[in-house]
PDB file of all heavy atoms in Angstrom:
ATOM      1  N   SER A  41      85.819  86.188  82.019  1.00 90.00           N
ATOM      2  CA  SER A  41      86.030  86.250  80.609  1.00 90.00           C
ATOM      3  C   SER A  41      86.219  87.668  80.105  1.00 90.00           C
ATOM      4  O   SER A  41      86.762  87.836  79.015  1.00 90.00           O
ATOM      5  CB  SER A  41      84.858  85.582  79.879  1.00 90.00           C
ATOM      6  OG  SER A  41      83.713  86.359  79.884  1.00 90.00           O
ATOM      7  N   ILE A  42      85.767  88.653  80.877  1.00 92.00           N
ATOM      8  CA  ILE A  42      85.953  90.025  80.425  1.00 92.00           C
ATOM      9  C   ILE A  42      87.073  90.747  81.137  1.00 92.00           C
ATOM     10  O   ILE A  42      87.411  91.905  80.848  1.00 92.00           O
ATOM     11  CB  ILE A  42      84.653  90.883  80.498  1.00 92.00           C
ATOM     12  CG1 ILE A  42      84.179  90.966  81.949  1.00 92.00           C
ATOM     13  CG2 ILE A  42      83.606  90.300  79.555  1.00 92.00           C
ATOM     14  CD1 ILE A  42      83.027  91.913  82.150  1.00 92.00           C
ATOM     15  N   ALA A  43      87.731  90.072  82.103  1.00 87.00           N
ATOM     16  CA  ALA A  43      88.816  90.682  82.835  1.00 87.00           C
ATOM     17  C   ALA A  43      89.966  90.977  81.872  1.00 87.00           C
ATOM     18  O   ALA A  43      90.259  90.226  80.969  1.00 87.00           O
ATOM     19  CB  ALA A  43      89.307  89.745  83.929  1.00 87.00           C
ATOM     20  N   HIS A  44      90.584  92.100  82.117  1.00 74.00           N
ATOM     21  CA  HIS A  44      91.719  92.484  81.221  1.00 74.00           C
ATOM     22  C   HIS A  44      92.893  91.604  81.454  1.00 74.00           C
ATOM     23  O   HIS A  44      93.368  91.476  82.601  1.00 74.00           O
ATOM     24  CB  HIS A  44      92.064  94.000  81.473  1.00 74.00           C
ATOM     25  CG  HIS A  44      93.063  94.534  80.463  1.00 74.00           C
ATOM     26  ND1 HIS A  44      92.916  94.386  79.138  1.00 74.00           N
ATOM     27  CD2 HIS A  44      94.190  95.180  80.697  1.00 74.00           C
ATOM     28  CE1 HIS A  44      93.975  94.959  78.538  1.00 74.00           C
ATOM     29  NE2 HIS A  44      94.720  95.449  79.427  1.00 74.00           N
ATOM     30  N   ARG A  45      93.443  91.017  80.449  1.00 67.00           N
ATOM     31  CA  ARG A  45      94.531  90.071  80.557  1.00 67.00           C
ATOM     32  C   ARG A  45      95.888  90.679  80.288  1.00 67.00           C
ATOM     33  O   ARG A  45      96.903  90.057  80.333  1.00 67.00           O
ATOM     34  CB  ARG A  45      94.371  88.893  79.610  1.00 67.00           C
ATOM     35  CG  ARG A  45      93.064  88.165  79.788  1.00 67.00           C
ATOM     36  CD  ARG A  45      93.237  86.999  80.766  1.00 67.00           C
ATOM     37  NE  ARG A  45      92.033  86.231  80.889  1.00 67.00           N
ATOM     38  CZ  ARG A  45      91.121  86.389  81.814  1.00 67.00           C
ATOM     39  NH1 ARG A  45      91.255  87.352  82.707  1.00 67.00           N
ATOM     40  NH2 ARG A  45      90.068  85.616  81.906  1.00 67.00           N
ATOM     41  N   GLY A  46      95.934  91.962  79.899  1.00 57.00           N
ATOM     42  CA  GLY A  46      97.192  92.652  79.601  1.00 57.00           C
ATOM     43  C   GLY A  46      97.689  92.080  78.230  1.00 57.00           C
ATOM     44  O   GLY A  46      96.978  91.442  77.501  1.00 57.00           O
ATOM     45  N   LEU A  47      98.954  92.421  77.917  1.00 45.00           N
ATOM     46  CA  LEU A  47      99.515  92.023  76.673  1.00 45.00           C
ATOM     47  C   LEU A  47     100.381  90.775  76.781  1.00 45.00           C
ATOM     48  O   LEU A  47     101.142  90.506  75.860  1.00 45.00           O
ATOM     49  CB  LEU A  47     100.345  93.223  76.056  1.00 45.00           C
ATOM     50  CG  LEU A  47      99.560  94.530  75.855  1.00 45.00           C
ATOM     51  CD1 LEU A  47     100.441  95.587  75.453  1.00 45.00           C
ATOM     52  CD2 LEU A  47      98.432  94.298  74.848  1.00 45.00           C
ATOM     53  N   SER A  48     100.291  90.097  77.859  1.00 40.00           N
ATOM     54  CA  SER A  48     101.119  88.929  78.084  1.00 40.00           C
ATOM     55  C   SER A  48     100.722  87.812  77.130  1.00 40.00           C
ATOM     56  O   SER A  48      99.521  87.426  77.054  1.00 40.00           O
ATOM     57  CB  SER A  48     100.946  88.451  79.529  1.00 40.00           C
ATOM     58  OG  SER A  48     101.557  87.233  79.733  1.00 40.00           O
ATOM     59  N   SER A  49     101.689  87.237  76.448  1.00 38.00           N
ATOM     60  CA  SER A  49     101.402  86.136  75.553  1.00 38.00           C
ATOM     61  C   SER A  49     101.569  84.820  76.213  1.00 38.00           C
ATOM     62  O   SER A  49     101.240  83.763  75.672  1.00 38.00           O
ATOM     63  CB  SER A  49     102.280  86.177  74.300  1.00 38.00           C
ATOM     64  OG  SER A  49     103.637  86.151  74.682  1.00 38.00           O
ATOM     65  N   SER A  50     102.088  84.835  77.459  1.00 38.00           N
ATOM     66  CA  SER A  50     102.270  83.543  78.196  1.00 38.00           C
ATOM     67  C   SER A  50     100.978  82.973  78.712  1.00 38.00           C
ATOM     68  O   SER A  50     100.922  81.904  79.251  1.00 38.00           O
ATOM     69  CB  SER A  50     103.258  83.775  79.375  1.00 38.00           C
ATOM     70  OG  SER A  50     102.653  84.685  80.304  1.00 38.00           O
ATOM     71  N   GLY A  51      99.881  83.778  78.644  1.00 41.00           N
ATOM     72  CA  GLY A  51      98.589  83.347  79.085  1.00 41.00           C
ATOM     73  C   GLY A  51      98.377  83.600  80.559  1.00 41.00           C
ATOM     74  O   GLY A  51      97.312  83.335  81.057  1.00 41.00           O
ATOM     75  N   SER A  52      99.376  84.208  81.218  1.00 40.00           N
ATOM     76  CA  SER A  52      99.184  84.505  82.630  1.00 40.00           C
ATOM     77  C   SER A  52      98.318  85.799  82.728  1.00 40.00           C
ATOM     78  O   SER A  52      98.483  86.694  81.957  1.00 40.00           O
ATOM     79  CB  SER A  52     100.499  84.706  83.350  1.00 40.00           C
ATOM     80  OG  SER A  52     101.150  85.828  82.869  1.00 40.00           O
ATOM     81  N   SER A  53      97.460  85.779  83.691  1.00 41.00           N
ATOM     82  CA  SER A  53      96.515  86.907  83.828  1.00 41.00           C
ATOM     83  C   SER A  53      97.167  88.048  84.574  1.00 41.00           C
ATOM     84  O   SER A  53      97.827  87.812  85.589  1.00 41.00           O
ATOM     85  CB  SER A  53      95.312  86.404  84.595  1.00 41.00           C
ATOM     86  OG  SER A  53      94.548  87.454  85.072  1.00 41.00           O
ATOM     87  N   GLN A  54      97.054  89.266  84.093  1.00 43.00           N
ATOM     88  CA  GLN A  54      97.570  90.424  84.765  1.00 43.00           C
ATOM     89  C   GLN A  54      96.403  91.345  85.055  1.00 43.00           C
ATOM     90  O   GLN A  54      96.037  92.255  84.402  1.00 43.00           O
ATOM     91  CB  GLN A  54      98.545  91.172  83.837  1.00 43.00           C
ATOM     92  CG  GLN A  54      99.766  90.417  83.484  1.00 43.00           C
ATOM     93  CD  GLN A  54     100.663  91.137  82.498  1.00 43.00           C
ATOM     94  OE1 GLN A  54     100.287  92.238  82.029  1.00 43.00           O
ATOM     95  NE2 GLN A  54     101.806  90.579  82.198  1.00 43.00           N
ATOM     96  N   GLU A  55      95.748  90.968  86.192  1.00 42.00           N
ATOM     97  CA  GLU A  55      94.569  91.730  86.562  1.00 42.00           C
ATOM     98  C   GLU A  55      94.855  92.931  87.424  1.00 42.00           C
ATOM     99  O   GLU A  55      95.820  92.908  88.166  1.00 42.00           O
ATOM    100  CB  GLU A  55      93.611  90.758  87.287  1.00 42.00           C
ATOM    101  CG  GLU A  55      93.366  89.478  86.523  1.00 42.00           C
ATOM    102  CD  GLU A  55      91.995  88.963  86.674  1.00 42.00           C
ATOM    103  OE1 GLU A  55      91.164  89.602  87.258  1.00 42.00           O
ATOM    104  OE2 GLU A  55      91.783  87.862  86.172  1.00 42.00           O
ATOM    105  N   PRO A  56      94.025  93.963  87.397  1.00 42.00           N
ATOM    106  CA  PRO A  56      94.212  95.090  88.292  1.00 42.00           C
ATOM    107  C   PRO A  56      94.112  94.619  89.685  1.00 42.00           C
ATOM    108  O   PRO A  56      93.334  93.626  90.024  1.00 42.00           O
ATOM    109  CB  PRO A  56      93.097  96.038  87.920  1.00 42.00           C
ATOM    110  CG  PRO A  56      92.118  95.277  87.156  1.00 42.00           C
ATOM    111  CD  PRO A  56      92.864  94.116  86.558  1.00 42.00           C
ATOM    112  N   PRO A  57      94.799  95.256  90.681  1.00 41.00           N
ATOM    113  CA  PRO A  57      94.729  94.782  92.041  1.00 41.00           C
ATOM    114  C   PRO A  57      93.340  94.716  92.658  1.00 41.00           C
ATOM    115  O   PRO A  57      92.978  93.742  93.274  1.00 41.00           O
ATOM    116  CB  PRO A  57      95.601  95.782  92.825  1.00 41.00           C
ATOM    117  CG  PRO A  57      95.877  96.924  91.833  1.00 41.00           C
ATOM    118  CD  PRO A  57      95.534  96.450  90.483  1.00 41.00           C
ATOM    119  N   GLU A  58      92.565  95.772  92.488  1.00 46.00           N
ATOM    120  CA  GLU A  58      91.221  95.768  93.075  1.00 46.00           C
ATOM    121  C   GLU A  58      90.254  96.411  92.078  1.00 46.00           C
ATOM    122  O   GLU A  58      90.404  97.594  91.737  1.00 46.00           O
ATOM    123  CB  GLU A  58      91.216  96.592  94.350  1.00 46.00           C
ATOM    124  CG  GLU A  58      89.859  96.822  94.994  1.00 46.00           C
ATOM    125  CD  GLU A  58      89.376  95.727  95.850  1.00 46.00           C
ATOM    126  OE1 GLU A  58      90.174  94.926  96.264  1.00 46.00           O
ATOM    127  OE2 GLU A  58      88.181  95.639  96.068  1.00 46.00           O
ATOM    128  N   PRO A  59      89.266  95.709  91.517  1.00 44.00           N
ATOM    129  CA  PRO A  59      88.358  96.357  90.549  1.00 44.00           C
ATOM    130  C   PRO A  59      87.517  97.439  91.271  1.00 44.00           C
ATOM    131  O   PRO A  59      87.273  97.290  92.442  1.00 44.00           O
ATOM    132  CB  PRO A  59      87.434  95.188  90.050  1.00 44.00           C
ATOM    133  CG  PRO A  59      87.578  94.150  91.100  1.00 44.00           C
ATOM    134  CD  PRO A  59      88.902  94.306  91.775  1.00 44.00           C
ATOM    135  N   PRO A  60      87.141  98.425  90.520  1.00 47.00           N
ATOM    136  CA  PRO A  60      86.356  99.507  91.175  1.00 47.00           C
ATOM    137  C   PRO A  60      84.971  98.964  91.592  1.00 47.00           C
ATOM    138  O   PRO A  60      84.473  98.000  90.994  1.00 47.00           O
ATOM    139  CB  PRO A  60      86.166 100.534  90.003  1.00 47.00           C
ATOM    140  CG  PRO A  60      86.477  99.795  88.775  1.00 47.00           C
ATOM    141  CD  PRO A  60      87.407  98.632  89.112  1.00 47.00           C
ATOM    142  N   LYS A  61      84.392  99.534  92.572  1.00 51.00           N
ATOM    143  CA  LYS A  61      83.096  99.142  93.096  1.00 51.00           C
ATOM    144  C   LYS A  61      81.993  99.406  92.046  1.00 51.00           C
ATOM    145  O   LYS A  61      82.060 100.389  91.288  1.00 51.00           O
ATOM    146  CB  LYS A  61      82.764  99.897  94.386  1.00 51.00           C
ATOM    147  CG  LYS A  61      83.792  99.683  95.437  1.00 51.00           C
ATOM    148  CD  LYS A  61      83.180  99.047  96.652  1.00 51.00           C
ATOM    149  CE  LYS A  61      84.117  98.854  97.769  1.00 51.00           C
ATOM    150  NZ  LYS A  61      84.696  97.529  97.783  1.00 51.00           N
ATOM    151  N   CYS A  62      80.990  98.558  92.093  1.00 60.00           N
ATOM    152  CA  CYS A  62      79.796  98.813  91.266  1.00 60.00           C
ATOM    153  C   CYS A  62      79.113  99.997  91.854  1.00 60.00           C
ATOM    154  O   CYS A  62      78.727  99.982  93.021  1.00 60.00           O
ATOM    155  CB  CYS A  62      78.923  97.545  91.348  1.00 60.00           C
ATOM    156  SG  CYS A  62      77.620  97.415  90.190  1.00 60.00           S
ATOM    157  N   PRO A  63      78.990 101.176  91.143  1.00 48.00           N
ATOM    158  CA  PRO A  63      78.552 102.398  91.771  1.00 48.00           C
ATOM    159  C   PRO A  63      77.197 102.266  92.505  1.00 48.00           C
ATOM    160  O   PRO A  63      77.126 102.873  93.559  1.00 48.00           O
ATOM    161  CB  PRO A  63      78.393 103.369  90.552  1.00 48.00           C
ATOM    162  CG  PRO A  63      79.204 102.755  89.448  1.00 48.00           C
ATOM    163  CD  PRO A  63      79.225 101.299  89.724  1.00 48.00           C
ATOM    164  N   GLN A  64      76.233 101.574  91.971  1.00 47.00           N
ATOM    165  CA  GLN A  64      74.988 101.532  92.685  1.00 47.00           C
ATOM    166  C   GLN A  64      75.084 100.759  94.006  1.00 47.00           C
ATOM    167  O   GLN A  64      74.198 100.763  94.816  1.00 47.00           O
ATOM    168  CB  GLN A  64      73.810 101.030  91.866  1.00 47.00           C
ATOM    169  CG  GLN A  64      73.930  99.575  91.438  1.00 47.00           C
ATOM    170  CD  GLN A  64      74.558  99.370  90.084  1.00 47.00           C
ATOM    171  OE1 GLN A  64      75.430 100.110  89.676  1.00 47.00           O
ATOM    172  NE2 GLN A  64      74.049  98.398  89.326  1.00 47.00           N
ATOM    173  N   GLU A  65      76.237 100.028  94.256  1.00 49.00           N
ATOM    174  CA  GLU A  65      76.408  99.246  95.422  1.00 49.00           C
ATOM    175  C   GLU A  65      77.299  99.952  96.433  1.00 49.00           C
ATOM    176  O   GLU A  65      77.485  99.499  97.553  1.00 49.00           O
ATOM    177  CB  GLU A  65      77.070  97.909  95.066  1.00 49.00           C
ATOM    178  CG  GLU A  65      76.332  97.092  94.074  1.00 49.00           C
ATOM    179  CD  GLU A  65      75.088  96.427  94.712  1.00 49.00           C
ATOM    180  OE1 GLU A  65      75.037  96.308  95.925  1.00 49.00           O
ATOM    181  OE2 GLU A  65      74.206  96.015  93.926  1.00 49.00           O
ATOM    182  N   ALA A  66      77.971 101.111  96.044  1.00 44.00           N
ATOM    183  CA  ALA A  66      78.899 101.752  96.936  1.00 44.00           C
ATOM    184  C   ALA A  66      78.182 102.292  98.171  1.00 44.00           C
ATOM    185  O   ALA A  66      77.094 102.889  98.094  1.00 44.00           O
ATOM    186  CB  ALA A  66      79.552 102.900  96.182  1.00 44.00           C
ATOM    187  N   ALA A  67      78.802 102.072  99.288  1.00 45.00           N
ATOM    188  CA  ALA A  67      78.246 102.582 100.545  1.00 45.00           C
ATOM    189  C   ALA A  67      78.566 104.084 100.657  1.00 45.00           C
ATOM    190  O   ALA A  67      79.510 104.579 100.086  1.00 45.00           O
ATOM    191  CB  ALA A  67      78.865 101.851 101.742  1.00 45.00           C
ATOM    192  N   PRO A  68      77.685 104.813 101.389  1.00 44.00           N
ATOM    193  CA  PRO A  68      77.926 106.272 101.594  1.00 44.00           C
ATOM    194  C   PRO A  68      79.343 106.472 102.147  1.00 44.00           C
ATOM    195  O   PRO A  68      79.763 105.741 103.076  1.00 44.00           O
ATOM    196  CB  PRO A  68      76.878 106.707 102.575  1.00 44.00           C
ATOM    197  CG  PRO A  68      75.815 105.611 102.475  1.00 44.00           C
ATOM    198  CD  PRO A  68      76.498 104.356 102.071  1.00 44.00           C
ATOM    199  N   GLY A  69      80.046 107.432 101.538  1.00 45.00           N
ATOM    200  CA  GLY A  69      81.388 107.785 102.027  1.00 45.00           C
ATOM    201  C   GLY A  69      82.473 107.029 101.371  1.00 45.00           C
ATOM    202  O   GLY A  69      83.677 107.315 101.495  1.00 45.00           O
ATOM    203  N   GLU A  70      82.136 105.895 100.603  1.00 46.00           N
ATOM    204  CA  GLU A  70      83.194 105.154  99.912  1.00 46.00           C
ATOM    205  C   GLU A  70      83.684 105.974  98.753  1.00 46.00           C
ATOM    206  O   GLU A  70      82.928 106.683  98.093  1.00 46.00           O
ATOM    207  CB  GLU A  70      82.638 103.820  99.383  1.00 46.00           C
ATOM    208  CG  GLU A  70      82.540 102.733 100.409  1.00 46.00           C
ATOM    209  CD  GLU A  70      82.135 101.405  99.828  1.00 46.00           C
ATOM    210  OE1 GLU A  70      82.407 101.195  98.598  1.00 46.00           O
ATOM    211  OE2 GLU A  70      81.604 100.544 100.524  1.00 46.00           O
ATOM    212  N   GLU A  71      84.999 105.763  98.405  1.00 45.00           N
ATOM    213  CA  GLU A  71      85.548 106.468  97.317  1.00 45.00           C
ATOM    214  C   GLU A  71      84.973 105.943  96.001  1.00 45.00           C
ATOM    215  O   GLU A  71      84.725 104.730  95.868  1.00 45.00           O
ATOM    216  CB  GLU A  71      87.070 106.337  97.245  1.00 45.00           C
ATOM    217  CG  GLU A  71      87.754 107.239  98.280  1.00 45.00           C
ATOM    218  CD  GLU A  71      89.221 107.235  98.099  1.00 45.00           C
ATOM    219  OE1 GLU A  71      89.689 107.146  96.919  1.00 45.00           O
ATOM    220  OE2 GLU A  71      89.925 107.306  99.109  1.00 45.00           O
ATOM    221  N   LEU A  72      84.807 106.792  95.055  1.00 43.00           N
ATOM    222  CA  LEU A  72      84.251 106.359  93.742  1.00 43.00           C
ATOM    223  C   LEU A  72      85.447 106.199  92.775  1.00 43.00           C
ATOM    224  O   LEU A  72      86.482 106.886  92.998  1.00 43.00           O
ATOM    225  CB  LEU A  72      83.271 107.405  93.229  1.00 43.00           C
ATOM    226  CG  LEU A  72      82.025 107.583  94.028  1.00 43.00           C
ATOM    227  CD1 LEU A  72      81.199 108.777  93.534  1.00 43.00           C
ATOM    228  CD2 LEU A  72      81.175 106.316  94.033  1.00 43.00           C
ATOM    229  N   ALA A  73      85.309 105.347  91.792  1.00 45.00           N
ATOM    230  CA  ALA A  73      86.410 105.069  90.897  1.00 45.00           C
ATOM    231  C   ALA A  73      86.262 105.836  89.610  1.00 45.00           C
ATOM    232  O   ALA A  73      85.188 106.264  89.206  1.00 45.00           O
ATOM    233  CB  ALA A  73      86.434 103.578  90.549  1.00 45.00           C
ATOM    234  N   TRP A  74      87.330 106.128  88.923  1.00 44.00           N
ATOM    235  CA  TRP A  74      87.468 106.770  87.636  1.00 44.00           C
ATOM    236  C   TRP A  74      86.418 107.810  87.358  1.00 44.00           C
ATOM    237  O   TRP A  74      85.648 107.717  86.415  1.00 44.00           O
ATOM    238  CB  TRP A  74      87.563 105.777  86.444  1.00 44.00           C
ATOM    239  CG  TRP A  74      87.188 104.366  86.663  1.00 44.00           C
ATOM    240  CD1 TRP A  74      88.027 103.366  87.064  1.00 44.00           C
ATOM    241  CD2 TRP A  74      85.899 103.776  86.601  1.00 44.00           C
ATOM    242  NE1 TRP A  74      87.328 102.224  87.249  1.00 44.00           N
ATOM    243  CE2 TRP A  74      86.024 102.432  86.936  1.00 44.00           C
ATOM    244  CE3 TRP A  74      84.644 104.193  86.270  1.00 44.00           C
ATOM    245  CZ2 TRP A  74      84.972 101.525  86.963  1.00 44.00           C
ATOM    246  CZ3 TRP A  74      83.589 103.340  86.283  1.00 44.00           C
ATOM    247  CH2 TRP A  74      83.790 102.032  86.623  1.00 44.00           C
ATOM    248  N   GLY A  75      86.413 108.853  88.141  1.00 45.00           N
ATOM    249  CA  GLY A  75      85.587 110.051  87.853  1.00 45.00           C
ATOM    250  C   GLY A  75      84.082 109.859  88.018  1.00 45.00           C
ATOM    251  O   GLY A  75      83.299 110.589  87.466  1.00 45.00           O
ATOM    252  N   GLU A  76      83.654 108.831  88.788  1.00 45.00           N
ATOM    253  CA  GLU A  76      82.210 108.681  88.930  1.00 45.00           C
ATOM    254  C   GLU A  76      81.701 109.800  89.738  1.00 45.00           C
ATOM    255  O   GLU A  76      82.378 110.325  90.624  1.00 45.00           O
ATOM    256  CB  GLU A  76      81.964 107.346  89.650  1.00 45.00           C
ATOM    257  CG  GLU A  76      82.307 106.156  88.899  1.00 45.00           C
ATOM    258  CD  GLU A  76      82.174 104.874  89.728  1.00 45.00           C
ATOM    259  OE1 GLU A  76      81.995 104.949  90.926  1.00 45.00           O
ATOM    260  OE2 GLU A  76      82.289 103.826  89.108  1.00 45.00           O
ATOM    261  N   GLU A  77      80.473 110.157  89.479  1.00 49.00           N
ATOM    262  CA  GLU A  77      79.859 111.233  90.236  1.00 49.00           C
ATOM    263  C   GLU A  77      79.222 110.601  91.513  1.00 49.00           C
ATOM    264  O   GLU A  77      78.694 109.536  91.484  1.00 49.00           O
ATOM    265  CB  GLU A  77      78.777 111.931  89.427  1.00 49.00           C
ATOM    266  CG  GLU A  77      79.408 112.609  88.224  1.00 49.00           C
ATOM    267  CD  GLU A  77      78.455 113.554  87.585  1.00 49.00           C
ATOM    268  OE1 GLU A  77      77.522 113.969  88.230  1.00 49.00           O
ATOM    269  OE2 GLU A  77      78.736 113.954  86.478  1.00 49.00           O
ATOM    270  N   PRO A  78      79.289 111.323  92.589  1.00 50.00           N
ATOM    271  CA  PRO A  78      78.734 110.801  93.822  1.00 50.00           C
ATOM    272  C   PRO A  78      77.194 110.671  93.733  1.00 50.00           C
ATOM    273  O   PRO A  78      76.535 111.477  93.088  1.00 50.00           O
ATOM    274  CB  PRO A  78      79.101 111.802  94.921  1.00 50.00           C
ATOM    275  CG  PRO A  78      79.444 113.045  94.200  1.00 50.00           C
ATOM    276  CD  PRO A  78      79.870 112.615  92.771  1.00 50.00           C
ATOM    277  N   VAL A  79      76.676 109.644  94.373  1.00 52.00           N
ATOM    278  CA  VAL A  79      75.196 109.478  94.461  1.00 52.00           C
ATOM    279  C   VAL A  79      74.693 110.194  95.683  1.00 52.00           C
ATOM    280  O   VAL A  79      75.201 109.975  96.744  1.00 52.00           O
ATOM    281  CB  VAL A  79      74.874 107.999  94.521  1.00 52.00           C
ATOM    282  CG1 VAL A  79      73.377 107.782  94.623  1.00 52.00           C
ATOM    283  CG2 VAL A  79      75.441 107.225  93.313  1.00 52.00           C
ATOM    284  N   PRO A  80      73.728 111.091  95.499  1.00 52.00           N
ATOM    285  CA  PRO A  80      73.247 111.841  96.690  1.00 52.00           C
ATOM    286  C   PRO A  80      72.625 110.839  97.678  1.00 52.00           C
ATOM    287  O   PRO A  80      71.817 109.980  97.303  1.00 52.00           O
ATOM    288  CB  PRO A  80      72.165 112.788  96.153  1.00 52.00           C
ATOM    289  CG  PRO A  80      72.004 112.511  94.733  1.00 52.00           C
ATOM    290  CD  PRO A  80      73.070 111.493  94.326  1.00 52.00           C
TER     291      PRO A  80
END
């Protein structure tokens, strides 16, 4: 229900290919999304 649907009026969902990882769940060495700071 909170996924971004884009501006499509046809009702088709235009979701991003892969949502960013939940930061507290990221494994050591995984890339962080959108400027997240690394967890020591």
Side-chain angles (χ1 to χ4, degrees):
S41 74
I42 61 173
H44 188 49
R45 303 267 185 265
L47 301 175
S48 171
S49 58
S50 64
S52 67
S53 166
Q54 297 176 355
E55 309 216 5
E58 172 85 21
K61 300 240 182 266
C62 193
Q64 67 263 37
E65 302 284 342
E70 282 188 21
E71 283 190 34
L72 298 172
W74 13 270
E76 294 174 350
E77 296 196 18
V79 178

